[in-house]
Amino acid sequence: MAVETIRWQGPCPGGHVALIEQTLLPGRAEIAAIHTLAEMIAAIRRLAVRGAPAIGVAAGYGLVLALQELGEAPTERFRERLSSAKAELAAARPTAVNLAWALARTAGKVECMPLDTPSPALLAALFSEAGAIASEDAAQCRRMGELGAELIADGSSVLTHCNAGALATGGIGTALAPIYVAVERGKRVHVWADETRPLLQGARLTAWELSEAGIEVTLITDSMAAACLASGRIDAVFVGSDRIARNGDVCNKIGTYGVAVLARRHAVPFYVVAPLSTFDPDVPDGASIPIEERAPEEVTEGFGPRTAPAGVGVWNPAFDVTPAELVTAIVTERGILEGPDRAKVEALLRDAGRI
Amino acid sequence: MAVETIRWQGPCPGGHVALIEQTLLPGRAEIAAIHTLAEMIAAIRRLAVRGAPAIGVAAGYGLVLALQELGEAPTERFRERLSSAKAELAAARPTAVNLAWALARTAGKVECMPLDTPSPALLAALFSEAGAIASEDAAQCRRMGELGAELIADGSSVLTHCNAGALATGGIGTALAPIYVAVERGKRVHVWADETRPLLQGARLTAWELSEAGIEVTLITDSMAAACLASGRIDAVFVGSDRIARNGDVCNKIGTYGVAVLARRHAVPFYVVAPLSTFDPDVPDGASIPIEERAPEEVTEGFGPRTAPAGVGVWNPAFDVTPAELVTAIVTERGILEGPDRAKVEALLRDAGRI
């Protein structure tokens, strides 16, 4: 029911990547056909594909595109090209953790194969690994959706912030996955979407993908979430995460923390939905997470014309941190962590072999 | 130091109104010269002048413009024109309480004068009353500024929401008045301005008027106020109000309530600055205040291109209510009401002869 953000189309070699051209949303929904490494790098750069898990999938397929371009090259030539393509893709969005991770995983699969393996077999292994990243991502999303759907009662209204949906992953999303599954199971769910300034991912992406899926959605500005919660309209909040610290503090799109404080005031549960890969065992707590500050123009000319006086100072942090104590539960593909704290997060990571 | 939003220019009869053409802000700062009633009505309609107190001043001067256009007419003709001009102005923004109040006050001054008073004397009385509204408004703003400035320590950072500044009044504003006075007195004050979606009064107006006055201002999106407060950057919050209930609940621009909740969480004082005329003794509490819901296009195409999918539902309340318990103090021209509640508000209104 959710839109399909990215997929491989056709055989390999010979196929290409089809992805939703997100730069045209919400005005136009077009599928971009990506045939070459250069086209994939350009697509990642212009944010035609975005969202950490979706970028990981794009990166894996990007390597496949680079190497099927070679044709039946000598194995040494193949390995050289793999190495240069990896570097080119890694530079497309240097701060995206999933990009580097997916490149290391797909290329690593080939790098450890016998040196005399012929290039068609290397390409097949690469394609298989890239496909595995995509299908594992989709499976994780579905699993989080199934677990999280239990938290949504029939007839619920759910508030979400930013876009942690199908458009950000190779599956049905993280924060939106429980909603998709709940609706599949016949529950009636109404979604309230914060527009999410400055980049309006809620208005442009979340409202669009939910509408496409036939799910009722009401758009509000970020400043209306407080009144919306106070009015009793919201039964639960679902958000994604960019990074979760070892003590359960949650880093997510700027504005998430404010929603968490308001949810607590109105005794509305605040759920974070994120795969285990989002947890960073090297970060002890939220205060240790570096927060990217972005260009002032996102705030002052975000809608086209300039909407603030020339030369005005701007503070534009891309993320904020919600302390674990405000999080009712974190939904992962390995279960639901209720009342997350350091002990519970560490137990989960230990079980998963992450620490 | 603050900009002058509206003033009478020249003698009466013979003069005109000069006002800052706010529709061009923040891109261009132009003074519109308003010579006729029709021009004043058009200026009010297109929001060239906005903010309850400023509209009151504009309305009084609008009547003066209508009647000086008559020249030395017979007194009966003068009175007829006064009545029709009043009706025309009242229809310019029918829900603006200060508009109706200022019209009743200026016209009332003339209506109770002896029937044989010659029209030049009636015009002089009208002009004098309109001028009194303007100067009383300016004096109230200054008084609130003087009282409120005591709440701002040297070196403070203050957060504000929307525009309750000089651009909204005939003086130095309400919420911004304490800041102007504190700076006049040599205190260093840094202002953080919420952009205030959907109409961006913070970005377009507050950031502009503070910059014009040489006061340091940093613009943030509404969703960044939470992180800003959490970071310890803010020492106090100052906002205005559109209506205050008898129990001290404060109705103000959408988003104010969220800021109040966050201020409380971070133990930052939350001050409301509003003249006594903002208190409504007929409204027992915040829940009884009707909240205007505005057009969805303010959210979906606020600044040109459409930023949400066609047909998406939108909820667009213009105001929210902050319960009195979250208000540290209300600064009025008659003193500061600390920890406002029903008993304190009623005592204030009784002192002022309002109940």
Side-chain angles (χ1 to χ4, degrees):
Chain A
M1 185 172 49
V3 295
E4 195 180 12
T5 293
I6 180 168
R7 70 160 176 272
W8 184 271
Q9 189 101 320
C12 176
H16 66 276
V17 173
L19 52 81
I20 296 176
E21 176 62 60
Q22 296 191 35
T23 57
L24 302 177
L25 294 178
R28 274 170 28 229
E30 285 186 13
I31 302 296
I34 307 294
H35 290 90
T36 65
L37 173 66
E39 285 173 9
M40 181 60 89
I41 289 171
I44 293 172
R45 281 222 172 102
R46 73 173 176 270
L47 309 185
V49 56
R50 29 66 60 194
I55 287 176
V57 174
Y61 284 142
L63 285 186
V64 174
L65 289 173
L67 290 158
Q68 77 172 6
E69 285 174 51
L70 275 191
E72 289 193 26
T75 180
E76 197 173 314
R77 172 87 186 85
F78 185 100
R79 287 173 187 272
E80 281 167 15
R81 184 62 186 126
L82 179 63
S83 170
S84 63
K86 205 169 92 172
E88 289 172 47
L89 271 163
R93 280 192 79 187
T95 55
V97 172
N98 286 54
L99 178 58
W101 167 85
L103 291 171
R105 177 171 161 180
T106 40
K109 187 80 182 179
V110 167
E111 282 155 10
C112 67
M113 289 170 76
L115 277 180
D116 58 353
T117 313
S119 62
L122 295 177
L123 179 62
L126 199 67
F127 181 60
S128 156
E129 198 64 17
I133 288 178
S135 57
E136 284 168 29
D137 181 35
Q140 277 176 5
C141 290
R142 175 140 298 270
R143 183 71 191 134
M144 290 185 283
E146 285 165 355
L147 291 167
E150 297 302 313
L151 304 168
I152 301 177
D154 184 30
S156 288
S157 285
V158 167
L159 174 67
T160 189
H161 188 77
C162 197
N163 177 261
L167 286 172
T169 65
I172 58 172
T174 55
L176 300 190
I179 296 162
Y180 285 121
V181 174
V183 170
E184 261 177 41
R185 293 181 177 170
K187 293 180 182 171
R188 290 156 303 156
V189 183
H190 188 108
V191 180
W192 292 75
D194 281 352
E195 66 172 8
T196 317
R197 280 282 283 152
L199 296 183
L200 298 175
Q201 293 92 335
R204 293 188 300 107
L205 306 179
T206 297
W208 181 80
E209 72 163 87
L210 292 172
S211 299
E212 285 295 301
I215 295 175
E216 261 187 68
V217 56
T218 300
L219 180 65
I220 55 176
T221 67
D222 305 316
S223 60
M224 293 166 192
C228 195
L229 281 154
S231 73
R233 283 174 169 85
I234 306 297
D235 300 299
V237 178
F238 281 83
V239 298
S241 172
D242 290 87
R243 213 192 289 203
I244 300 176
R246 199 154 169 148
N247 71 341
D249 289 354
V250 171
C251 179
N252 192 40
K253 183 60 57 197
I254 187 73
T256 303
Y257 167 59
V259 175
V261 170
L262 288 156
R264 173 60 51 93
R265 179 172 167 93
H266 294 287
V268 169
F270 181 86
Y271 299 116
V272 176
V273 187
L276 234 70
S277 58
T278 305
F279 290 76
D280 187 343
D282 297 334
V283 168
D285 53 35
S288 317
I289 300 176
I291 302 292
E292 174 190 0
E293 295 191 12
R294 296 175 57 86
E297 290 73 21
E298 289 185 356
V299 174
T300 57
E301 339 181 339
F303 301 92
R306 193 171 171 90
T307 50
V312 70
V314 171
W315 185 54
N316 183 19
F319 306 99
D320 62 22
V321 172
T322 299
E325 53 116 350
L326 293 176
V327 178
T328 309
I330 304 177
V331 178
T332 78
E333 75 276 26
R334 289 173 76 98
I336 297 179
L337 219 59
E338 282 183 47
D341 60 16
R342 187 176 308 273
K344 288 178 186 172
V345 170
E346 289 182 350
L348 179 77
L349 294 176
R350 213 171 289 122
D351 274 359
R354 289 282 309 281
I355 56 173
Chain B
M1 183 173 49
V3 296
E4 195 179 13
T5 293
I6 181 168
R7 68 159 177 273
W8 185 269
Q9 190 101 316
C12 176
H16 67 276
V17 173
L19 53 81
I20 295 177
E21 175 63 58
Q22 296 191 35
T23 57
L24 302 177
L25 293 178
R28 271 158 46 218
E30 285 186 12
I31 303 296
I34 307 292
H35 291 90
T36 66
L37 174 66
E39 286 172 9
M40 182 60 90
I41 289 171
I44 293 172
R45 282 224 172 101
R46 73 172 176 270
L47 310 185
V49 56
R50 32 65 61 193
I55 287 176
V57 174
Y61 285 142
L63 285 185
V64 174
L65 289 173
L67 291 156
Q68 78 171 7
E69 285 172 50
L70 275 189
E72 289 195 26
T75 181
E76 197 173 313
R77 171 87 185 87
F78 186 99
R79 288 173 185 273
E80 283 166 13
R81 183 66 186 121
L82 179 61
S83 170
S84 63
K86 206 169 90 172
E88 289 171 45
L89 272 164
R93 279 192 79 187
T95 55
V97 172
N98 286 56
L99 178 59
W101 167 84
L103 290 171
R105 178 171 160 181
T106 42
K109 188 80 182 179
V110 168
E111 281 155 8
C112 67
M113 289 170 77
L115 278 180
D116 58 353
T117 314
S119 62
L122 295 178
L123 181 61
L126 199 66
F127 182 61
S128 156
E129 197 64 17
I133 288 177
S135 57
E136 285 169 27
D137 180 36
Q140 276 177 3
C141 289
R142 176 142 293 276
R143 183 70 188 132
M144 289 185 282
E146 286 164 353
L147 291 167
E150 298 302 314
L151 304 169
I152 300 177
D154 184 28
S156 287
S157 285
V158 167
L159 174 67
T160 189
H161 189 78
C162 199
N163 178 261
L167 286 172
T169 66
I172 58 172
T174 54
L176 300 189
I179 296 163
Y180 285 120
V181 174
V183 170
E184 260 176 43
R185 293 179 177 170
K187 293 180 183 171
R188 291 156 303 157
V189 182
H190 187 107
V191 180
W192 292 76
D194 281 350
E195 66 173 6
T196 318
R197 280 280 284 154
L199 296 181
L200 298 176
Q201 293 93 335
R204 293 189 298 110
L205 307 179
T206 297
W208 181 81
E209 72 164 87
L210 291 172
S211 298
E212 285 295 301
I215 295 175
E216 259 187 71
V217 57
T218 300
L219 180 65
I220 56 175
T221 67
D222 305 314
S223 60
M224 293 166 192
C228 196
L229 281 154
S231 73
R233 283 175 168 86
I234 306 297
D235 299 299
V237 177
F238 280 82
V239 297
S241 172
D242 290 87
R243 212 194 289 206
I244 299 175
R246 200 155 170 150
N247 70 341
D249 288 353
V250 172
C251 179
N252 191 41
K253 181 62 58 201
I254 187 74
T256 303
Y257 166 60
V259 175
V261 170
L262 288 156
R264 172 61 51 91
R265 178 171 168 95
H266 294 287
V268 168
F270 180 88
Y271 298 116
V272 175
V273 188
L276 233 69
S277 57
T278 305
F279 289 78
D280 187 342
D282 297 333
V283 169
D285 54 35
S288 318
I289 300 176
I291 302 293
E292 174 190 359
E293 295 190 12
R294 295 176 56 86
E297 289 73 22
E298 289 185 355
V299 174
T300 57
E301 33 196 281
F303 298 91
R306 191 170 172 91
T307 51
V312 70
V314 171
W315 185 54
N316 183 18
F319 306 100
D320 62 23
V321 172
T322 299
E325 52 116 351
L326 293 176
V327 177
T328 308
I330 303 176
V331 179
T332 78
E333 74 277 25
R334 289 174 76 99
I336 297 178
L337 217 59
E338 282 183 47
D341 61 15
R342 187 177 307 274
K344 289 178 185 171
V345 170
E346 288 182 350
L348 179 78
L349 294 176
R350 212 170 288 119
D351 275 359
R354 288 282 308 281
I355 56 171

